[in-house]
Amino acid sequence: MTLAQRAFERLHAWPDLTSGPASCGTGRALRSVQDEIVHFHSDRDVDLHLTQRAIQRFQYDLGGSSAIHLVPGSRWVTVHLDCDADVDLLLSLVSIALKAHQSRPAADLPSECNFHRVTVLPRSAAGEI
């Protein structure tokens, strides 16, 4: 079982999330009543829909993680799953995303996920550039 499959199964059991196709056309999504929260694009790459406010609040923490990739102006963050700790990080961030979407300002409209806008290198190769 891949890390993405393991994360999907754990999150799919959450009562606030339901599954379906990702609106971007690639992979599966988990959504709350209000919005799509997570897109599972591959065995290792997941896009997580945060609000602009949540990204601003946690920007330095998110930017300090080698598993997280931010795209300027996007309300989605890409999580690259390389180990079990990355799955735990994803689950924690999904919890934050659910809470953020419940209190999301009306002006914070949904945006497209980061699929095709992020190239993720394995951590072992990232230092070689």
Side-chain angles (χ1 to χ4, degrees), residues 7 17 22 40 45-46 50 52 57 67 72-73 76 88 91 94 100 108 110 112 114 119 121 127 129:
L17 295 173
F40 289 84
D45 296 317
V46 178
L50 291 170
Q52 189 65 35
R57 183 174 180 196
W76 292 77
D88 294 337
L91 271 61
V94 169
D108 197 4
E112 293 182 25
N114 293 339
T119 301
L121 298 173
I129 294 177

Side-chain angles (χ1 to χ4, degrees), residues 48 62 65 67-68 79 84-94:
L48 173 68
L62 294 172
S65 170
I68 303 291
V79 182
D84 290 331
D86 296 339
V87 173
D88 294 337
L89 174 62
L90 174 64
L91 271 61
S92 297
L93 290 173
V94 169

Side-chain angles (χ1 to χ4, degrees), residues 102-125:
Q102 289 171 353
S103 61
R104 178 183 75 177
D108 197 4
L109 300 173
S111 63
E112 293 182 25
C113 73
N114 293 339
F115 190 63
H116 293 301
R117 298 195 301 174
V118 171
T119 301
V120 179
L121 298 173
R123 285 189 194 138
S124 59

Side-chain angles (χ1 to χ4, degrees), residues 56-100:
Q56 288 172 344
R57 183 174 180 196
F58 297 106
Q59 181 175 1
Y60 296 107
D61 297 314
L62 294 172
S65 170
S66 61
I68 303 291
H69 302 277
L70 301 171
V71 174
S74 178
R75 292 183 185 107
W76 292 77
V77 299
T78 300
V79 182
H80 186 72
L81 306 174
D82 267 337
C83 61
D84 290 331
D86 296 339
V87 173
D88 294 337
L89 174 62
L90 174 64
L91 271 61
S92 297
L93 290 173
V94 169
S95 181
I96 290 169
L98 286 170
K99 183 171 177 129

